[in-house]
Amino acid sequence: MKKLLSHIKKEQAIGVIMGVVIAYAITAIAFIGAAIAITYTNLQETTLPAIVMVSVVVSVLVAGFDASRKAENKGWLWGMIAGLLYAVIFIGIIVWVADGFIPDMRQLTIMALSLVGGGIGGAIGINFAKK
């Protein structure tokens, strides 16, 4: 394990963490905006699952993009790591709020979207990395 971790540079780990922090800032803004829209407009609560999925995808794309900018190569992998970290925290929050783990397709969908979106964001971000 130590040999595996020795290849990870501090900047890459910080890039992943910062990408996830920025992704959660985007998610918070989207959720607050949705709450305000549902409260003060005719927007129905039935749109919440779509809002959650769109905000997850946008957030992990940004997380993957930001995480891979610090990487030297394999941006898609660093993006997927950021997406996985985002999803694990997100599902952890869902479990905490729901007062227990109830596996369903939404959680699996969030995990899949996070991995794919993070990988795509990472593949794009590595091309914008400052060399």
Side-chain angles (χ1 to χ4, degrees), residues 45-124:
E45 288 183 22
T46 56
T47 60
L48 279 177
I51 292 170
V52 168
M53 292 304 170
V54 168
S55 67
V56 165
V57 169
V58 170
S59 296
V60 296
L61 280 169
V62 171
F65 182 88
D66 199 50
S68 67
R69 292 185 68 208
K70 301 288 185 186
E72 295 174 1
N73 55 19
K74 296 183 182 169
W76 61 271
L77 179 62
W78 289 104
M80 288 180 80
I81 291 169
L84 179 64
L85 181 60
Y86 177 94
V88 167
I89 293 169
F90 195 85
I91 292 171
I93 292 169
I94 291 171
V95 169
W96 177 53
V97 170
D99 220 12
F101 183 68
I102 304 166
D104 63 1
M105 283 304 292
R106 281 182 286 176
Q107 293 167 352
L108 184 61
T109 303
I110 289 170
M111 185 66 73
L113 287 174
S114 297
L115 285 171
V116 172
I120 292 170
I124 294 168

Side-chain angles (χ1 to χ4, degrees), residues 7-19:
H7 295 295
I8 298 173
K9 293 183 180 179
K10 185 178 179 181
E11 296 85 27
Q12 290 172 325
I14 290 172
V16 169
I17 293 168
M18 288 306 298

